Amino acid sequence: MTEQKRVFPTPIADPDTEQFWSAAKDNKLMIGSCNSCGEKHYYPRGMCPHCGSSDVELVQSLGKGVIYSWSVLRRAEPPFAIAYVTLDEGPTMMTNIIDCDLDNLKIGQKVELKFSPTEEENGAPVPTFKPV
Amino acid sequence: MQLSEYGFSKHYPRLVIVPRGVVAYKKKKGVVKSMSINGKAYIAGVYEHPTRKAVDKSLAQLHAESALGALADAGLTKDDVDGYFCAGDAPGLGPLSLVDYMGLNLKHMDATETGGSSYVLHVGHAAEAIAMGKCSVALITLAGRPRAEGMATGTAPRNYGSSAPDVAFEFPFGPTVVNMYAMCAQRHMYEYGTTSEQLAWIKVAASHHAQYNEHAMLRNVVTVDEVVNSPMISDPLHRLDCCVISDGGGAIIVTSPEVAKSLKRPLVKVLGAGEAPKHQMGGKIDLTYSGARWSGPLAFEEARVKPSDMKYASIYDSFTITVLMQLEDLGFCEKGEGGKFVSDGNLISGTGKLPFNTDGGGLCNNHPANRGGLTKVIEAVRQLRGEAHPKVQVPNCDLALAHGTGGSLGTRHGSATVIMERE
Ligand SMILES: [Zn+2]
């Protein structure tokens, strides 16, 4: 079954995540990076969930990764593939797999970033992934 | 204090565990004494509302009817209640609207919300409050009417409020209850070779029990073939891997030993309780285990018993995979061995080594308000009292466990474990 385009709700930015969503409008996927412990995290936030430092910044992900897990919600209209993708930089993030054969997804499969537009005009796009 | 004194650090080497509710202090002569809830509270009353579709009743009414049912079961009245516990299903401001509706006069209130596990956690919190002398008769209620309200429980994304920090990063991708648990199942299959047939055995066992429960929504005994051939909802979970959607409710009365011993009901003592959240760990996501990995050892340690001592277990069963992961995490089998453990009827009362959810559980009987924790405690109490259906009653059932998961195994959830003993 070929994946059909979903209508993605537009994410609501808050002061914590405004920078992330404005970078998304430039097709850049940002992840959290801690200057104190050096660990990356996702979703990005105002403190490091690993060490508790507030010395955190956004860094750009190259947008390459592998499927950690996936499921096709067959009851949805249209059916779609939700997934967790583990980025090459380390963190695992929730996303959708698009431009794919819904019957041929695999854990460990290589995927790459492709932003998907969202329903509101001028709304930020969301980071989705497609098979390499 | 060395963690190894608690005996579980070597089994859970990646974890740092501070036993909840345990204050250890050195006395003279170097004797370490602990404060715990072990033996400090009893479950004196339980009630499961018989409705499964409540078009003609309000939410507050379902809470109140459940409360009155549990009080009658205990042999108490509402004026005996001095502590009240509820969660996010309660209408109004925290506990206040229902306290008002029921006309309760209280010394203690707690509205801790961890989804479907809340009520298992409340038993532990009630025992703590009773042990500290803050109250002596604690009432816990749950109710909901998702069927009457036509809620798409499993397949519509739930939004817990746009100010939740995770919402913008998750909601657009359509996380629902079923596809998040499905991703756990998918990963568990990948890492441990778990199969759909093994998961199906969990539903089969629940259906064997539900046939004897006149209130159960699904009373037909099903086979492994029927489960794996039921329609795929979200890979790899089929329709029959999912729990029922039901209206209803229930209540639990937890009391001090003095109150319990003044009543005419069999004595069910709280031996231990554990609770723990699990989350995404900043992106170090691991979907193959649940917070039961932490809440279980805390409860077993406090109860001074081990998984193999349990004669019966009520295990949260929103989906078949929920049961399998929690059984592993609670220590009933090794991690990754859950598929083998549940196979061939091992969870069926009278046949298997670990009778589970003998009321039919959420998979077949009842999942009121989409929250299955409270009914888990109720069936464990029935077993300990010898009041389960004769066809599923475990002989000489003197030790039982109830475990709940609330929220989502796929994102963030609260786990709660309670261990009880018939005195
Ligand atoms: Zn850090």
Side-chain angles (χ1 to χ4, degrees):
Chain A
M1 194 191 330
T2 311
E3 181 260 348
Q4 291 174 29
K5 288 278 164 281
R6 285 180 73 212
V7 178
F8 289 93
T10 301
I12 300 165
D14 66 17
D16 217 3
T17 58
E18 233 162 13
Q19 240 189 310
F20 175 93
W21 294 112
S22 81
K25 287 183 180 173
D26 296 331
N27 288 321
K28 289 179 182 166
L29 171 61
M30 309 302 283
I31 60 176
S33 180
C34 176
N35 293 319
S36 186
C37 72
E39 292 257 21
K40 305 283 192 291
H41 61 269
Y42 197 89
Y43 56 89
R45 65 199 79 180
M47 70 172 278
C48 172
H50 305 300
C51 76
S53 170
S54 51
D55 186 8
V56 288
E57 61 177 346
L58 292 177
V59 297
Q60 190 180 348
S61 163
L62 294 175
K64 307 243 186 262
V66 296
I67 296 177
Y68 171 80
S69 195
W70 62 274
S71 182
V72 175
L73 186 60
R74 306 276 167 184
R75 309 298 287 183
E77 202 48 64
F80 67 96
I82 199 164
Y84 276 119
V85 164
T86 303
L87 299 170
D88 286 355
E89 291 86 359
T92 299
M93 61 180 283
M94 190 186 293
T95 186
N96 282 175
I97 308 298
I98 60 163
D99 301 347
C100 65
D101 175 1
L102 291 175
D103 297 321
N104 206 13
L105 293 170
K106 283 186 180 61
I107 289 176
Q109 192 174 341
K110 285 187 180 171
V111 291
E112 64 186 16
L113 178 69
K114 183 183 176 189
F115 275 97
S116 290
T118 57
E119 60 186 341
E120 280 174 32
E121 212 178 322
N122 302 320
V126 290
T128 49
F129 287 77
K130 66 182 177 76
V132 173
Chain B
M1 178 178 65
Q2 294 295 313
L3 285 171
S4 56
E5 287 170 30
Y6 287 87
F8 42 73
S9 58
K10 72 173 190 284
H11 300 295
Y12 299 90
R14 283 192 288 162
L15 313 173
V16 176
I17 297 175
V18 179
R20 181 190 61 77
V22 176
V23 180
Y25 54 95
K26 294 250 178 198
K27 278 194 147 186
K28 284 177 203 168
K29 299 176 192 170
V31 180
V32 175
K33 253 201 131 183
S34 317
M35 274 181 68
S36 88
I37 61 165
N38 189 326
K40 306 276 177 62
Y42 287 69
I43 299 183
V46 292
Y47 183 72
E48 180 181 4
H49 203 293
T51 191
R52 299 292 181 267
K53 190 165 188 185
V55 178
D56 56 347
K57 288 189 192 295
S58 78
L59 183 51
Q61 195 176 9
L62 289 170
H63 275 274
E65 288 180 2
S66 299
L68 293 173
L71 285 165
D73 179 54
L76 293 165
T77 72
K78 80 152 182 85
D79 292 334
D80 296 313
V81 175
D82 59 359
Y84 178 57
F85 294 71
C86 65
D89 55 287
L93 181 61
L96 297 181
S97 292
L98 286 177
V99 170
D100 186 345
Y101 185 98
M102 294 189 277
L104 301 176
N105 295 306
L106 305 171
K107 296 195 294 187
H108 195 80
M109 295 172 278
D110 180 338
T112 306
E113 162 70 323
T114 59
S117 62
S118 303
Y119 323 91
V120 182
L121 179 145
H122 289 166
V123 171
H125 286 198
E128 288 170 23
I130 290 165
M132 295 299 288
K134 298 294 182 186
C135 61
S136 57
V137 176
L139 165 68
I140 304 165
T141 69
L142 152 83
R145 43 205 301 282
R147 284 182 85 198
E149 290 161 11
M151 181 178 177
T153 293
T155 52
R158 287 195 210 169
N159 185 341
Y160 293 103
S162 60
S163 62
D166 40 84
V167 167
F169 297 96
E170 296 178 1
F171 190 71
F173 303 113
T176 68
V177 180
V178 63
N179 65 4
M180 297 311 297
Y181 281 74
M183 281 206 284
C184 296
Q186 194 84 264
R187 187 72 198 186
H188 203 280
M189 289 176 166
Y190 175 80
E191 289 200 23
Y192 300 115
T194 307
T195 66
S196 289
E197 285 74 16
Q198 289 172 333
L199 288 176
W201 270 109
I202 297 166
K203 181 75 161 200
V204 169
S207 77
H208 269 265
H209 299 146
Q211 65 177 313
Y212 304 112
N213 182 350
E214 60 173 321
H215 300 297
M217 284 185 69
L218 306 176
R219 295 186 68 188
N220 285 342
V221 174
V222 297
T223 64
V224 167
D225 275 353
E226 283 169 333
V227 178
V228 300
N229 289 317
S230 64
M232 189 66 84
I233 303 293
S234 194
D235 313 61
L237 297 179
H238 306 82
R239 181 187 289 280
L240 294 185
D241 286 299
C242 307
C243 67
V244 301
I245 296 166
S246 55
D247 297 348
I252 302 168
I253 308 288
V254 187
T255 73
S256 65
E258 295 72 30
V259 171
K261 285 169 186 173
S262 74
L263 303 170
K264 296 188 177 69
R265 304 297 277 134
L267 289 170
V268 173
K269 183 161 71 181
V270 179
L271 287 188
E275 66 189 57
K278 183 181 176 241
H279 48 74
Q280 296 179 323
M281 297 170 286
K284 297 183 181 190
I285 289 169
D286 186 337
L287 297 182
T288 61
Y289 70 92
S290 73
R293 174 182 279 203
W294 301 303
S295 70
L298 290 170
F300 282 116
E301 179 59 30
E302 190 167 48
R304 301 184 196 290
V305 294
K306 53 189 189 301
S308 58
D309 296 328
M310 295 299 110
K311 302 274 178 66
Y312 166 82
S314 279
I315 305 290
Y316 201 92
D317 55 349
S318 46
F319 299 94
T320 51
I321 184 65
T322 323
V323 176
L324 186 136
M325 283 170 56
Q326 293 166 126
L327 286 171
E328 294 176 345
D329 297 333
L330 290 166
F332 287 105
C333 62
E334 293 293 316
K335 192 72 210 169
E337 299 289 312
K340 275 182 215 154
F341 184 81
V342 302
S343 291
D344 305 321
N346 200 35
L347 302 178
I348 299 176
S349 186
T351 313
K353 286 207 189 83
L354 183 69
F356 103 121
N357 300 8
T358 41
D359 59 338
L363 287 169
C364 295
N365 169 30
N366 192 12
H367 199 236
N370 303 317
R371 291 161 173 258
L374 198 139
T375 46
K376 295 294 158 293
V377 177
I378 291 176
E379 183 65 7
V381 170
R382 289 192 194 111
Q383 281 287 351
L384 290 166
R385 287 172 168 181
E387 294 177 355
H389 191 283
K391 294 280 192 187
V392 296
Q393 175 67 49
V394 176
N396 189 29
C397 185
D398 55 356
L399 267 177
L401 168 148
H403 179 80
T405 291
S408 176
L409 284 187
T411 52
R412 53 199 68 78
H413 61 271
S415 292
T417 313
V418 170
I419 295 166
M420 294 152 284
E421 181 182 42
R422 189 196 63 226
E423 196 167 271

